[in-house]
Amino acid sequence: MRERSGTPNLHELDAGHFLHTGSQAPQNLAAHLDNQVPVESPRAVSRTSESDPAKHGEQHEGQHYNIPLQDLKAVFPHGLPPRFVMQVKTFNEACLMVRKPALELLHYLKNTNFAHPAVRYVLYGEKGTGKTLSLCHIIHFCAKQDWLILHIPDAHLWVKNCRNLLQSTYNKQRLDQPLEASIWLKNFKTANERFLSQIKVQEKYVWNKRESTEKGSPLGEVVEQGITRVRNATDAVGIVLKELKRQSSSGIFHLLVAVDGVNALWGRTTLKREDKSPIAPEELALIYNLRKMVKNDWHGGAIVLTLSQTGSVFKPRKAFLPQELLGKEGFDTLDPFIPILVSNYNPKEFESCIQYYLENNWLQHEKAHTEDGKKELLFLSNTNPGQLERLCAYL
Amino acid sequence: MAAPCVSCGKAVSYRFFLGARVSLAREQGLWKAAAAEVQTGTASQILRLRHTTVVSTKKNIAALRRETYTLDFIKKQIEEFNIGKRHLANMMGEDPETFTQEDIDRAIAYLFPSGLFEKRARPIMKHPEQIFPKQRAIQWGEDGRPFHFLFYTGKPSYYSLMHEAYGKILDVEKHQNQLRAQGLFSEKTKTKDLIGSRWLIKEELEEILVEKLSDQDYAQFIRLLERLLTLQRGGAEEEFVQRFRRSVTIQSKKQLIEPVQYDEQGMAFSRSEGRRKSAEAEAVVYAHGSGRVSVNGTDYLLYFPVTQDREQLMFPFHFLDRLGKHDVACTVSGGGRAAQAGAIRLAVARALCTLVTEEEVEWMRQGMSGVGGHGCSHAVPECLSDSCSGYLKSVRRHLNVQYAGLRAPLFMLQNCNSIFQF
């Protein structure tokens, strides 16, 4: 019933905010000349001008950093939570908050040893605490570091509400999902343009009687094939995953596998065959291939996963622990992983979030900037970022 | 006209009344008398006689269509009641001398068990004064002249009351003028505390006067009394006015406040219960904390995903400006989602009564923001002897308002400066 949303508003600060404030500049400047301190401190709390995630450290915790909008389109053709996308559109800027879980992950990623098998990191936490946006933060970092991003925005979309299931051309027992696969391929292409020409396939793939991809041709061709021939989209996805896994060890590029809602890979689906018999996830080709991807038998990159109850099927609302959401099978498969808990805002982050809203004139209520008002919001949202965002939408 | 009547004899003497009909037997007697008159008197007299043969045993013309109870009848009823009371006491094996009305009620309920839902339809045995409606005594004498000088206004008791009140006002003013003339007039106005009492309502006044009043009459009377109140008055007038005021019980005295308890670590907390619809909640509010609330072991954000429910929880703290200062651990069962929220809210409010000053308790009860926002930061853990059950009433009022609309609960906070007003 609920859409996948609700992760915290990781707001960013405009770099050079004094220039950006445009119409407010004259009054602000005048105010600044009069008394620097009160106006400075809220800004110091809520924003930072450091827009490179690589340089984010402890001192930036709680502050928002800005992602330029062109970058946004390039790095995140898919994958941002819908509410966040709306907010970006409203504010005309994309600001993400730097938070501890993300910082921790960044630290690990900076120190990855690419010779070792890929380490799995699992972001887990209660609903609305900021897992998806933390993942986006990581992805932005990796994109800046020139990694190849393999981002599945929401694995739940692949196990529910799919029409047009076709029998797989590759393996008779499995089922294809042409629509989802083609959409994903399009977004993948947008995100990783530059790599598609560099990476060469190492096998020959025959699509049908007339078409085939030769060995040594760029990966982009496979992707094109998937996009144009929707029937083969799922197989194209499978090929992409296989190639990338094989070649990431070679060291040309680093691979980041980012899956949101990874608990969809194990468990149940809501899909049924024509004879109304349920389909297990393994029988879906996309899921099958993705599972192979998530195994840590390759090296040269990292795997960052997020658990999510919001879009999940057949899982109770209050479940958020890995054991509950992944089930026994999933947990065993993922077994050696590093869990990272994403929790609600601490007071500093909360304050920062409110400041960000106030700066963008999002909170119109006259009591919103009083202490009492803040306390009310704190109580009502219990510092949960998702709830806070929803509450503030009313004000 | 009196003369021929007298000559007719005693039977006719009471019979010169307006309008009522005559019973046949008496008519004959009268006609006999009239016939006798014909011989003696003129045609006009006969005519007059005819017109005046109205008599009836019914004494109160106004109550023609209603049953009227004569004084004798009422007296007889009272005697019967008393005898019956003694019989009943004997039947129940109790002492007739000390048999009170409660005992009678209990005995009747025991002897005549009734399953009727309407309590007023069940058998009762009460003193006749409570059963038979009060009636006006005869208001005119043997000669037909009414006793009261204001009889012909139609509402003699009411108008005489007004007359009396106005007379008192004039007296007080005269007294004041005299004092002023003598120079002894002092401007001090002792305002009697009218808080614990209220004016009689119209029904009560009607009951006292045994007359029907209109709304304007009632309003006029109250205005007159209030005018009397504004003047400086002496003891007699004071007493006169007090006759028309009824006390209003201070509800806040009725609720017990638990004393503050201390648990193992020495933390002060207070526990209390609340109910709403069929949900029951028990809340433990710690005196010092950071605003964490746990419901049935889980965080309140998870237990109440709907914002409306969390607003309910917030309200008691917000009202007292203690939003982040207390921790709450509560258990709740039964009812639905919103009923549970309401029950917890009540339990929390009651628990807070212990931790809060008495004025604030009264403030909560009345739900006003009039008491200036004096910081109530000292949670004095004293055993408050007075109680704040009236908060129930105001809470109920709030709760009744909330279901008018989805976000309506915080309409109540319009005068309380809440951030959420929809």
Side-chain angles (χ1 to χ4, degrees), chain A residues 227-248:
Chain A
I227 296 177
T228 43
R229 292 268 178 270
V230 181
R231 275 195 67 135
N232 302 332
T234 320
D235 291 331
V237 173
I239 292 172
V240 164
L241 293 179
K242 192 159 75 169
E243 289 297 325
L244 288 176
K245 191 164 162 183
R246 224 189 291 169
Q247 294 184 19
S248 67

mmCIF file of all heavy atoms in Angstrom, chain A residues 227-248:
data_model
loop_
_atom_site.group_PDB
_atom_site.id
_atom_site.type_symbol
_atom_site.label_atom_id
_atom_site.label_comp_id
_atom_site.label_asym_id
_atom_site.label_seq_id
_atom_site.Cartn_x
_atom_site.Cartn_y
_atom_site.Cartn_z
ATOM 1 N N ILE A 227 17.577 -3.486 -25.042
ATOM 2 C CA ILE A 227 16.586 -2.411 -25.057
ATOM 3 C C ILE A 227 15.709 -2.496 -26.300
ATOM 4 O O ILE A 227 14.497 -2.297 -26.254
ATOM 5 C CB ILE A 227 17.291 -1.045 -24.980
ATOM 6 C CG1 ILE A 227 18.015 -0.914 -23.637
ATOM 7 C CG2 ILE A 227 16.289 0.087 -25.128
ATOM 8 C CD1 ILE A 227 18.788 0.359 -23.483
ATOM 9 N N THR A 228 16.333 -2.799 -27.422
ATOM 10 C CA THR A 228 15.529 -2.815 -28.642
ATOM 11 C C THR A 228 14.702 -4.077 -28.746
ATOM 12 O O THR A 228 13.532 -4.022 -29.120
ATOM 13 C CB THR A 228 16.430 -2.696 -29.882
ATOM 14 O OG1 THR A 228 17.554 -3.535 -29.700
ATOM 15 C CG2 THR A 228 16.883 -1.265 -30.053
ATOM 16 N N ARG A 229 15.312 -5.178 -28.401
ATOM 17 C CA ARG A 229 14.536 -6.418 -28.483
ATOM 18 C C ARG A 229 14.059 -6.760 -27.079
ATOM 19 O O ARG A 229 14.765 -7.385 -26.309
ATOM 20 C CB ARG A 229 15.409 -7.578 -28.970
ATOM 21 C CG ARG A 229 15.857 -7.471 -30.372
ATOM 22 C CD ARG A 229 14.860 -8.182 -31.301
ATOM 23 N NE ARG A 229 15.330 -8.009 -32.682
ATOM 24 C CZ ARG A 229 14.973 -6.987 -33.451
ATOM 25 N NH1 ARG A 229 14.157 -6.062 -32.986
ATOM 26 N NH2 ARG A 229 15.465 -6.891 -34.667
ATOM 27 N N VAL A 230 12.869 -6.356 -26.807
ATOM 28 C CA VAL A 230 12.424 -6.508 -25.417
ATOM 29 C C VAL A 230 12.318 -7.964 -25.014
ATOM 30 O O VAL A 230 12.477 -8.327 -23.858
ATOM 31 C CB VAL A 230 11.079 -5.783 -25.241
ATOM 32 C CG1 VAL A 230 10.597 -5.900 -23.826
ATOM 33 C CG2 VAL A 230 11.234 -4.333 -25.611
ATOM 34 N N ARG A 231 12.098 -8.784 -25.972
ATOM 35 C CA ARG A 231 11.989 -10.212 -25.624
ATOM 36 C C ARG A 231 13.257 -10.732 -24.992
ATOM 37 O O ARG A 231 13.224 -11.625 -24.160
ATOM 38 C CB ARG A 231 11.744 -11.020 -26.902
ATOM 39 C CG ARG A 231 10.295 -11.087 -27.294
ATOM 40 C CD ARG A 231 10.132 -12.151 -28.301
ATOM 41 N NE ARG A 231 10.397 -13.440 -27.676
ATOM 42 C CZ ARG A 231 9.636 -14.498 -27.858
ATOM 43 N NH1 ARG A 231 8.592 -14.432 -28.629
ATOM 44 N NH2 ARG A 231 9.929 -15.636 -27.266
ATOM 45 N N ASN A 232 14.377 -10.177 -25.429
ATOM 46 C CA ASN A 232 15.656 -10.689 -24.922
ATOM 47 C C ASN A 232 16.190 -9.860 -23.785
ATOM 48 O O ASN A 232 17.329 -10.035 -23.381
ATOM 49 C CB ASN A 232 16.690 -10.685 -26.047
ATOM 50 C CG ASN A 232 16.219 -11.526 -27.200
ATOM 51 O OD1 ASN A 232 15.457 -12.460 -27.024
ATOM 52 N ND2 ASN A 232 16.664 -11.183 -28.400
ATOM 53 N N ALA A 233 15.394 -8.952 -23.273
ATOM 54 C CA ALA A 233 15.924 -8.019 -22.269
ATOM 55 C C ALA A 233 16.445 -8.756 -21.047
ATOM 56 O O ALA A 233 17.517 -8.442 -20.520
ATOM 57 C CB ALA A 233 14.842 -7.026 -21.869
ATOM 58 N N THR A 234 15.668 -9.733 -20.611
ATOM 59 C CA THR A 234 16.104 -10.419 -19.387
ATOM 60 C C THR A 234 17.440 -11.127 -19.615
ATOM 61 O O THR A 234 18.330 -11.100 -18.766
ATOM 62 C CB THR A 234 15.050 -11.452 -18.981
ATOM 63 O OG1 THR A 234 13.773 -10.904 -19.180
ATOM 64 C CG2 THR A 234 15.237 -11.841 -17.551
ATOM 65 N N ASP A 235 17.532 -11.741 -20.778
ATOM 66 C CA ASP A 235 18.810 -12.415 -21.039
ATOM 67 C C ASP A 235 19.932 -11.408 -21.122
ATOM 68 O O ASP A 235 21.061 -11.677 -20.673
ATOM 69 C CB ASP A 235 18.702 -13.196 -22.348
ATOM 70 C CG ASP A 235 17.758 -14.374 -22.199
ATOM 71 O OD1 ASP A 235 17.659 -14.888 -21.057
ATOM 72 O OD2 ASP A 235 17.117 -14.762 -23.191
ATOM 73 N N ALA A 236 19.630 -10.269 -21.700
ATOM 74 C CA ALA A 236 20.670 -9.233 -21.786
ATOM 75 C C ALA A 236 21.135 -8.845 -20.381
ATOM 76 O O ALA A 236 22.342 -8.691 -20.140
ATOM 77 C CB ALA A 236 20.116 -8.002 -22.519
ATOM 78 N N VAL A 237 20.170 -8.701 -19.505
ATOM 79 C CA VAL A 237 20.545 -8.367 -18.125
ATOM 80 C C VAL A 237 21.433 -9.453 -17.552
ATOM 81 O O VAL A 237 22.457 -9.189 -16.912
ATOM 82 C CB VAL A 237 19.279 -8.208 -17.254
ATOM 83 C CG1 VAL A 237 19.656 -8.040 -15.806
ATOM 84 C CG2 VAL A 237 18.476 -7.031 -17.718
ATOM 85 N N GLY A 238 21.036 -10.693 -17.792
ATOM 86 C CA GLY A 238 21.840 -11.795 -17.272
ATOM 87 C C GLY A 238 23.255 -11.743 -17.806
ATOM 88 O O GLY A 238 24.230 -11.959 -17.074
ATOM 89 N N ILE A 239 23.366 -11.439 -19.087
ATOM 90 C CA ILE A 239 24.704 -11.390 -19.699
ATOM 91 C C ILE A 239 25.515 -10.262 -19.077
ATOM 92 O O ILE A 239 26.694 -10.428 -18.744
ATOM 93 C CB ILE A 239 24.579 -11.180 -21.213
ATOM 94 C CG1 ILE A 239 23.961 -12.414 -21.823
ATOM 95 C CG2 ILE A 239 25.929 -10.886 -21.817
ATOM 96 C CD1 ILE A 239 23.614 -12.227 -23.264
ATOM 97 N N VAL A 240 24.880 -9.116 -18.924
ATOM 98 C CA VAL A 240 25.597 -7.974 -18.346
ATOM 99 C C VAL A 240 26.141 -8.343 -16.980
ATOM 100 O O VAL A 240 27.312 -8.096 -16.654
ATOM 101 C CB VAL A 240 24.630 -6.763 -18.247
ATOM 102 C CG1 VAL A 240 25.195 -5.717 -17.323
ATOM 103 C CG2 VAL A 240 24.392 -6.176 -19.613
ATOM 104 N N LEU A 241 25.294 -8.953 -16.198
ATOM 105 C CA LEU A 241 25.729 -9.290 -14.843
ATOM 106 C C LEU A 241 26.902 -10.275 -14.894
ATOM 107 O O LEU A 241 27.899 -10.112 -14.182
ATOM 108 C CB LEU A 241 24.559 -9.902 -14.063
ATOM 109 C CG LEU A 241 23.393 -8.962 -13.753
ATOM 110 C CD1 LEU A 241 22.301 -9.696 -13.005
ATOM 111 C CD2 LEU A 241 23.853 -7.797 -12.939
ATOM 112 N N LYS A 242 26.773 -11.248 -15.761
ATOM 113 C CA LYS A 242 27.833 -12.260 -15.814
ATOM 114 C C LYS A 242 29.157 -11.649 -16.227
ATOM 115 O O LYS A 242 30.193 -11.894 -15.624
ATOM 116 C CB LYS A 242 27.404 -13.342 -16.808
ATOM 117 C CG LYS A 242 28.257 -14.571 -16.742
ATOM 118 C CD LYS A 242 27.547 -15.756 -17.306
ATOM 119 C CE LYS A 242 27.538 -15.637 -18.837
ATOM 120 N NZ LYS A 242 27.088 -16.870 -19.499
ATOM 121 N N GLU A 243 29.082 -10.830 -17.264
ATOM 122 C CA GLU A 243 30.321 -10.226 -17.764
ATOM 123 C C GLU A 243 30.967 -9.334 -16.721
ATOM 124 O O GLU A 243 32.170 -9.370 -16.493
ATOM 125 C CB GLU A 243 30.011 -9.408 -19.028
ATOM 126 C CG GLU A 243 29.673 -10.236 -20.232
ATOM 127 C CD GLU A 243 30.846 -11.103 -20.660
ATOM 128 O OE1 GLU A 243 31.993 -10.651 -20.531
ATOM 129 O OE2 GLU A 243 30.616 -12.239 -21.088
ATOM 130 N N LEU A 244 30.139 -8.550 -16.105
ATOM 131 C CA LEU A 244 30.703 -7.613 -15.144
ATOM 132 C C LEU A 244 31.360 -8.364 -14.000
ATOM 133 O O LEU A 244 32.439 -7.993 -13.531
ATOM 134 C CB LEU A 244 29.614 -6.686 -14.607
ATOM 135 C CG LEU A 244 29.125 -5.657 -15.613
ATOM 136 C CD1 LEU A 244 27.990 -4.851 -15.032
ATOM 137 C CD2 LEU A 244 30.255 -4.736 -15.997
ATOM 138 N N LYS A 245 30.697 -9.422 -13.594
ATOM 139 C CA LYS A 245 31.273 -10.174 -12.482
ATOM 140 C C LYS A 245 32.615 -10.770 -12.879
ATOM 141 O O LYS A 245 33.598 -10.713 -12.142
ATOM 142 C CB LYS A 245 30.292 -11.294 -12.132
ATOM 143 C CG LYS A 245 30.594 -12.011 -10.867
ATOM 144 C CD LYS A 245 29.356 -12.781 -10.466
ATOM 145 C CE LYS A 245 29.718 -13.839 -9.478
ATOM 146 N NZ LYS A 245 28.580 -14.657 -9.106
ATOM 147 N N ARG A 246 32.628 -11.283 -14.091
ATOM 148 C CA ARG A 246 33.874 -11.921 -14.529
ATOM 149 C C ARG A 246 34.986 -10.917 -14.659
ATOM 150 O O ARG A 246 36.135 -11.173 -14.324
ATOM 151 C CB ARG A 246 33.624 -12.581 -15.881
ATOM 152 C CG ARG A 246 34.217 -13.955 -15.974
ATOM 153 C CD ARG A 246 34.136 -14.483 -17.351
ATOM 154 N NE ARG A 246 32.765 -14.779 -17.760
ATOM 155 C CZ ARG A 246 32.417 -15.057 -19.021
ATOM 156 N NH1 ARG A 246 33.326 -15.040 -19.968
ATOM 157 N NH2 ARG A 246 31.167 -15.314 -19.312
ATOM 158 N N GLN A 247 34.637 -9.746 -15.147
ATOM 159 C CA GLN A 247 35.706 -8.828 -15.504
ATOM 160 C C GLN A 247 36.078 -7.867 -14.401
ATOM 161 O O GLN A 247 37.061 -7.144 -14.508
ATOM 162 C CB GLN A 247 35.291 -8.012 -16.726
ATOM 163 C CG GLN A 247 35.161 -8.893 -17.929
ATOM 164 C CD GLN A 247 34.856 -8.064 -19.144
ATOM 165 O OE1 GLN A 247 35.087 -6.851 -19.150
ATOM 166 N NE2 GLN A 247 34.329 -8.701 -20.154
ATOM 167 N N SER A 248 35.298 -7.835 -13.364
ATOM 168 C CA SER A 248 35.669 -6.868 -12.329
ATOM 169 C C SER A 248 36.957 -7.288 -11.653
ATOM 170 O O SER A 248 37.697 -6.461 -11.136
ATOM 171 C CB SER A 248 34.558 -6.787 -11.296
ATOM 172 O OG SER A 248 34.484 -8.010 -10.603
#
